[in-house]
Amino acid sequence: MSFELSKEQEELRKWAHDFAVKEIRPVAAEYDEKEEFPIEVLRKAAKVGLTSYAAPEEYGGAGLTSVMAACLIGEELFWGCAGIATSLSAVGLAGLPIYYMGTEEQKRKWISYLCDPEHPRLGAMALTEPGAGSDVQAIQTRAVRDGDEWVINGRKCFITNGGIADVYVVFAKSDPTGGYHGVSAFVVPGDTPGLSGGKKERKMGIRASHTGDVILEDVRVPHENLLGEENLAFFGAMKMLEYSRPAVAAAAVGVARAAYEYALDYAKQRVQFSRPIIKNQSISHMLADMKTKIDAARLLTWRAAQLADRGESCAVEGSMAKAFAGEMVMDVTTNAVQILGGYGYMRDHPVEKWMRDAKILSIYEGTTQIQKKVIAGGL
């Protein structure tokens, strides 16, 4: 057993970290304040391959398909800025279900389309609805077969890139009485007649990512755009989420690490009562707890990633990593604000932003409570 990264893995981490230092950190506060999509950062990331690295080489990617690679790169990009990192990773959001559920022809067509470095395109996974978040079988969006086409009607909400994506994977009820066995998924180009964007959400954190409604009114797609088997998309989605949850845990580690490093530097420099505040046990013990929790979350994450890369189930381990990391990042960023005191509450310092960004990491890709349900089911 070894906790050391290989030379190649260290190079991956450095590649992503250098990009975060040079291209993300300098503009993070600006994009957060303006709540703008970071299109210029996206173009730069696409040119160096950071938006397509996870796709197989035959589809235009770098072939870094391992979950561990996604975790290492994700930690560094989210260390840079959670909002911008969400936008960059969202390029491949549609590619993920296509990769896990699609035919060879679908993969070659759509993943290649998303991997063009000169023309970065946005993907979106349209699953969540106003009345169906964690409960997938409760979705109301309907897909009805009409000859060689499917007609889709419904509304999706809280969709990353919703309304601006070039390609959507839409989950809809194809058998209203089938429960979990009645959900199908479809590839829907963003310019398909009847598909439109609704309200853009104003969020507490990750403001540099675009989150909005997707409206589907008599949207027609050919039968060849059906992903996987009819009525069985729920199970494909669960397998996809199983492998993506370690990456979300790694994102939480990245945000927490950013806040911890900043608070540590501040505590060494801030002098009160004639000595740096890190000399006070109450402050040094907070930092010790922060460091311990960050390392614990990373090790849980790496274990889940390695299981996935060996082709083994990481359902429980991935949920453990995400549940722990999602709560950990909120604790760490809150304590970072506390260590800075009044300064931490001000926008002149980035810890308040990291605290705002942190909350979503215990919500999206399955809330902490859903992760605990998965863990408990595995007991």
Side-chain angles (χ1 to χ4, degrees):
M1 181 183 296
S2 173
F3 297 104
E4 298 298 319
L5 298 177
S6 68
K7 181 181 178 181
E8 292 75 16
Q9 289 171 327
E10 288 286 7
E11 289 173 350
L12 276 183
R13 188 153 71 170
K14 185 178 186 303
W15 175 48
H17 183 76
D18 289 348
F19 185 87
V21 170
K22 182 180 178 182
E23 305 294 351
I24 296 179
R25 278 282 178 98
V27 297
E30 177 185 353
Y31 279 111
D32 177 74
E33 183 71 25
K34 293 181 179 179
E35 301 190 42
E36 281 185 6
F37 185 88
I39 186 64
E40 292 303 321
V41 183
L42 172 65
R43 289 178 180 140
K44 293 175 182 178
K47 284 188 176 181
V48 300
L50 272 170
T51 59
S52 59
Y53 70 88
E57 292 181 79
E58 59 266 33
Y59 308 138
L64 300 171
T65 57
S66 76
V67 177
M68 189 65 174
C71 289
L72 295 173
I73 292 171
E75 179 180 334
E76 300 307 321
L77 296 182
F78 275 78
W79 173 90
C81 171
I84 293 176
T86 298
S87 293
L88 300 186
S89 60
V91 170
L93 268 182
L96 201 59
I98 294 171
Y99 178 74
Y100 282 110
M101 294 190 285
T103 63
E104 179 61 31
E105 184 180 353
Q106 288 170 331
K107 293 176 187 179
R108 197 168 296 280
K109 177 179 180 179
W110 296 110
I111 296 179
S112 299
Y113 176 77
L114 290 166
C115 286
D116 187 341
E118 297 302 321
H119 302 92
R121 298 181 174 101
L122 298 175
M125 187 170 71
L127 180 60
T128 304
E129 297 184 3
S134 301
D135 186 7
V136 175
Q137 69 172 339
I139 63 175
Q140 297 298 308
T141 298
R142 286 282 283 118
V144 178
R145 183 79 179 264
D146 182 19
D148 290 333
E149 293 183 319
W150 288 86
V151 183
I152 308 173
N153 284 279
R155 174 193 165 202
K156 301 292 183 177
C157 68
F158 303 155
I159 306 303
T160 300
N161 293 339
I164 65 170
D166 298 288
V167 181
Y168 294 84
V169 171
V170 177
F171 290 79
K173 273 285 183 68
S174 47
D175 179 0
T177 64
Y180 292 122
H181 292 80
V183 179
S184 296
F186 305 87
V187 180
V188 183
D191 59 358
T192 303
L195 188 152
S196 61
K199 177 183 68 170
K200 177 190 174 184
E201 301 292 350
R202 299 174 65 244
K203 305 188 296 294
M204 178 171 78
I206 58 166
R207 294 178 179 176
S209 67
H210 181 104
T211 306
D213 286 356
V214 178
I215 312 299
L216 302 117
E217 298 175 310
D218 292 330
V219 171
R220 288 182 171 269
V221 294
H223 180 67
E224 66 188 37
N225 285 26
L226 173 70
L227 271 185
E229 293 185 55
E230 185 178 335
N231 297 329
L232 296 181
F234 168 80
F235 303 98
M238 292 304 101
K239 178 57 67 175
M240 176 190 67
L241 290 171
E242 175 183 335
Y243 288 149
S244 68
R245 280 169 179 162
V248 180
V253 172
V255 175
R257 198 184 96 215
Y260 161 76
E261 291 172 354
Y262 195 92
L264 176 63
D265 287 343
Y266 181 88
K268 290 177 179 178
Q269 298 170 17
R270 174 67 168 170
V271 174
Q272 290 287 275
F273 305 107
S274 303
R275 63 178 184 173
I277 63 172
I278 197 171
K279 296 293 184 180
N280 297 313
Q281 187 182 72
S282 58
I283 299 297
S284 63
H285 282 193
M286 288 172 71
L287 289 162
D289 285 342
M290 293 158 74
K291 173 63 173 172
T292 302
K293 290 177 180 178
I294 290 169
D295 278 16
R298 184 184 292 111
L299 292 173
L300 282 170
T301 299
W302 286 5
R303 181 183 66 169
Q306 289 180 350
L307 283 171
D309 289 340
R310 291 202 299 265
E312 300 178 33
S313 173
C314 68
V316 171
E317 291 81 5
S319 287
M320 289 171 68
K322 186 186 181 301
F324 184 86
E327 297 304 310
M328 174 278 297
V329 68
M330 203 66 219
D331 287 343
V332 169
T333 54
T334 298
N335 283 338
V337 171
Q338 189 71 18
I339 288 170
L340 268 70
Y343 289 110
Y345 200 70
M346 306 303 166
R347 293 188 182 181
D348 293 336
H349 293 270
V351 287
E352 63 85 25
K353 173 188 178 298
W354 290 323
M355 183 179 174
R356 288 188 285 106
D357 288 343
K359 189 57 198 171
I360 193 61
L361 293 161
S362 66
I363 297 174
Y364 66 9
E365 298 275 343
T367 64
T368 297
Q369 290 68 36
I370 288 295
Q371 306 312 316
K372 290 182 179 180
K373 179 178 173 66
V374 173
I375 297 164
L379 300 182

